[in-house]
Amino acid sequence: MTVLPFERRAVPAAAGPSDLTREQVATLLAPINPSRVQNLRGQSHLEAWDVRRWLNRVFGFGGWADETLELACVAQVEINPGRWTVIYRAQVRLTVKTTDGRLLTTYDDAAMGDSRNQPALGDAHDQAMKTALSQALKRCAHNLGDAFGLSLYNDGSRQAVGLWSAAHPAPKDEDTPAVPDDAPVKPEPAPAGDQPATVEQDAPTPQVRRGRRAEPGPWERQPAPAQQAGPSRDFLAEARKASSRQQFDAVRAAAVAEGAPEHYLADLDGIAAEREQGKQPAKKAAARRPAAKKAPAKKAAAPKQAPPASGRPEHEVAVADVLSVGQSLGLTREQVEEIVRAETGSTLAEAGTEQLVAVVADLRAATTEVAA
């Protein structure tokens, strides 16, 4: 009896671009769905859970893995009694495999993550670690193209920048499945008392400075596309209707908390300045009216303190700056009032403009020290 040798087909140990399937290539070359894009502090970004979902969609369950190469606590600061800010640094490696389990490629990247003004030290560490790891993974994944947010580094654009690859001719037949049209992505819930997680600092670029080729961002003055998320309230209209400075400060603080860019806040401050200037003509007219003759009176003693400077537009802007910086540090208005009183000896409304400018500089210096 003749015995035929058993035929063995050796599986290549290494894999390359040609080992990606047609469906994988089509998904990676497609532009990102705008409903997946989030806006935080004027920057476009993807949620970490959404990136993991798309890694599963493109490469399959078990077709990718992330490895933590480094996780270190950079800073732990008690900014107020019982309130903590923690910063972590993480380095992550993303490994991608072919559908038959062979190694396709790896990407390494690093990121910083913080958790600000937390009442519990454990929660501050937990949130800062997760933020750093998530940001590092997202930075690794953007090397895989537009499906993982590469176009957002092009000034926040949703238009595809990959478009084609010489190693991966884009399929043109009708059998190619379309990229799923998902519902809008919602951000992950943050712990109680937490501030929004920090977005990558090297990219994407803040949307207030955009190139001609990029579509308008949700905070720009032009009407934004329907699929993009914009401000939840018309803060400009609310500022115009505010009947007092306290109401205006509350509107401005809400805009800061929602991530309004600098030019939007400048528009709000301009509304306050215009209203103050509108009051000036009436005051000047009243000053020009001839005063009624009065009986001679004794010379009044000189006032001990200068009158409040709240009638000047520059003073109102300085007050708004103090509140805005305090809001970014997680301080309440009462805490800001205490800081101003401790540094100037006056209330927020009575302190001079130059004194308030100095307080703003001190608060910003405190923010820089925490970040360092």
Side-chain angles (χ1 to χ4, degrees):
M1 180 178 65
T2 302
V3 179
L4 298 177
F6 182 77
E7 182 180 0
R8 296 179 180 272
R9 295 183 178 179
V11 177
S18 61
D19 292 290
L20 288 171
T21 66
R22 180 184 60 181
E23 291 81 5
Q24 287 176 318
V25 174
T27 304
L28 293 174
L29 290 178
I32 190 171
N33 190 324
S35 66
R36 297 175 54 203
V37 181
Q38 299 291 302
N39 182 273
L40 179 62
R41 299 175 186 170
Q43 293 183 324
S44 298
H45 72 106
L46 299 180
E47 290 292 327
W49 72 265
D50 182 52
V51 170
R52 292 178 178 273
R53 173 181 66 164
W54 276 81
L55 285 169
N56 284 334
R57 285 183 173 181
V58 177
F59 301 103
F61 300 104
W64 65 277
D66 59 331
E67 176 185 0
T68 301
L69 303 180
E70 180 193 29
L71 183 61
C73 181
V74 177
Q76 173 183 302
V77 182
E78 188 175 15
I79 57 175
N80 284 310
R83 308 293 295 190
W84 298 90
T85 289
V86 177
I87 305 173
Y88 268 79
R89 179 182 68 250
Q91 184 178 4
V92 170
R93 171 173 296 163
L94 173 62
T95 300
V96 177
K97 304 175 183 179
T98 61
T99 55
D100 58 2
R102 289 175 292 146
L103 174 64
L104 182 63
T105 187
T106 60
Y107 301 108
D108 293 4
D109 216 320
M112 303 280 281
D114 65 4
S115 183
R116 303 181 183 181
N117 196 27
Q118 287 294 312
L121 181 58
D123 290 341
H125 277 272
D126 179 69
Q127 184 68 12
M129 285 191 297
K130 291 191 296 185
T131 300
L133 291 170
S134 296
Q135 299 297 342
L137 174 62
K138 291 194 290 184
R139 289 185 177 181
C140 290
H142 84 261
N143 292 286
L144 293 168
D146 296 313
F148 296 92
L150 180 61
S151 67
L152 302 183
Y153 286 72
N154 183 28
D155 214 11
S157 175
R158 277 72 162 167
Q159 299 296 326
V161 295
L163 299 179
W164 59 272
S165 169
H168 303 293
K172 297 182 180 180
D173 58 320
E174 298 179 356
D175 296 332
T176 302
V179 177
D181 187 12
D182 294 319
V185 174
K186 296 182 178 180
E188 297 179 359
D194 188 30
Q195 297 293 330
T198 302
V199 186
E200 298 97 320
Q201 296 301 314
D202 59 345
T205 305
Q207 292 193 7
V208 295
R209 298 179 180 177
R210 305 182 60 81
R212 295 181 179 179
R213 292 177 296 175
E215 67 277 18
W219 278 101
E220 299 220 352
R221 295 180 177 86
Q222 296 82 5
Q227 68 270 22
Q228 296 184 13
S232 61
R233 298 157 50 186
D234 189 348
F235 297 106
L236 295 175
E238 293 184 27
R240 294 188 182 95
K241 296 179 181 178
S243 59
S244 65
R245 184 67 198 191
Q246 289 73 18
Q247 291 184 4
F248 172 82
D249 291 341
V251 172
R252 192 183 192 281
V256 171
E258 192 163 326
E262 292 297 331
H263 77 76
Y264 197 92
L265 297 178
D267 290 344
L268 288 174
D269 294 335
I271 293 174
E274 290 175 1
R275 297 183 61 168
E276 291 299 331
Q277 291 175 358
K279 297 177 182 178
Q280 296 301 320
K283 295 180 180 179
K284 293 180 180 178
R288 289 195 297 267
R289 295 172 185 168
K293 294 183 179 181
K294 298 181 181 179
K298 295 182 180 180
K299 185 177 180 180
K304 296 181 180 181
Q305 295 183 351
S310 60
R312 295 179 296 169
E314 58 271 18
H315 180 268
E316 301 295 344
V317 173
V319 171
D321 288 341
V322 173
L323 294 174
S324 176
V325 177
Q327 177 75 19
S328 66
L329 288 173
L331 303 177
T332 64
R333 186 185 179 96
E334 289 74 16
Q335 291 173 324
V336 173
E337 289 274 9
E338 292 178 3
I339 293 174
V340 173
R341 188 178 295 107
E343 293 196 14
T344 67
S346 304
T347 65
L348 184 61
E350 295 175 347
T353 302
E354 294 182 357
Q355 292 176 319
L356 294 179
V357 171
V359 173
V360 171
D362 292 342
L363 291 175
R364 286 176 176 166
T367 304
T368 303
E369 292 176 0
V370 172

